[in-house]
Amino acid sequence: MTRPDVPPGSPWGSGGPWSGPVPLRRGLRQMRGALLVMLALPLAPALLINLIGGSGRQMVGTLLGIGGIVLALRALRGGHGRHRAAILMGVGTGLLALMAAQVPVLGAVIFGAMAWFGTSLLYEGVPDAEPAPAPPPPPAPDPFAAPRARLTALA
């Protein structure tokens, strides 16, 4: 995937920031999902206000919204891909809008779709994580194990 808007000689390479040198890619992968955490920061005071106010439905909605964002962050960092993270972000935002902000159902679906679309655009160029290396195969059985055991028993 080449990007014509990246100037030639850029340290990022022709594929954007995710295809640059290894230290740059490693730094960007460690920062993966940092924007999702920043989006969730205003939910902590909202949860505290709902807890003090005693409104159960709004408190549960805020917790579900925070949970959706946390699961989206885990999906991004765990290498499950940006598609799953975008879906989780959309579901969390839709539940948050429906229950905590008391938006009608159609509005909550629209907010969830906007969050899904925004997250999928935000992490468009992010490659999926490399799969874990396969475990080494077990050692081959020793063909002389039985005769050695017999010799040890005779001795």
Side-chain angles (χ1 to χ4, degrees):
M1 179 173 143
T2 61
R3 293 184 179 207
D5 56 346
V6 176
S10 171
W12 286 352
S14 62
W18 300 102
S19 66
V22 175
L24 179 65
R25 281 184 289 173
R26 188 176 304 127
L28 286 175
R29 284 189 184 134
Q30 288 174 353
M31 293 297 295
R32 188 184 291 183
L35 290 174
L36 295 182
V37 174
M38 290 175 49
L39 289 173
L41 286 178
L43 295 177
L47 180 64
L48 182 64
I49 291 170
N50 290 332
L51 185 64
I52 292 171
S55 55
R57 178 181 171 154
Q58 292 176 345
M59 189 172 27
V60 169
T62 307
L63 284 174
L64 287 175
I66 291 173
I69 293 172
V70 167
L71 289 176
L73 182 64
R74 284 191 63 205
L76 271 178
R77 294 230 172 144
H80 296 295
R82 59 185 169 91
H83 300 294
R84 183 183 290 181
I87 290 170
L88 288 169
M89 189 73 176
V91 168
T93 303
L95 288 173
L96 178 72
L98 180 69
M99 296 181 74
Q102 298 175 351
V103 174
V105 176
L106 181 62
V109 169
I110 291 173
F111 278 129
M114 287 190 309
W116 166 78
F117 188 64
T119 306
S120 63
L121 283 179
L122 181 65
Y123 293 104
E124 180 179 352
V126 177
D128 290 334
E130 296 86 18
D142 188 14
F144 300 113
R148 281 192 194 124
R150 286 189 208 141
L151 281 174
T152 330
L154 290 176

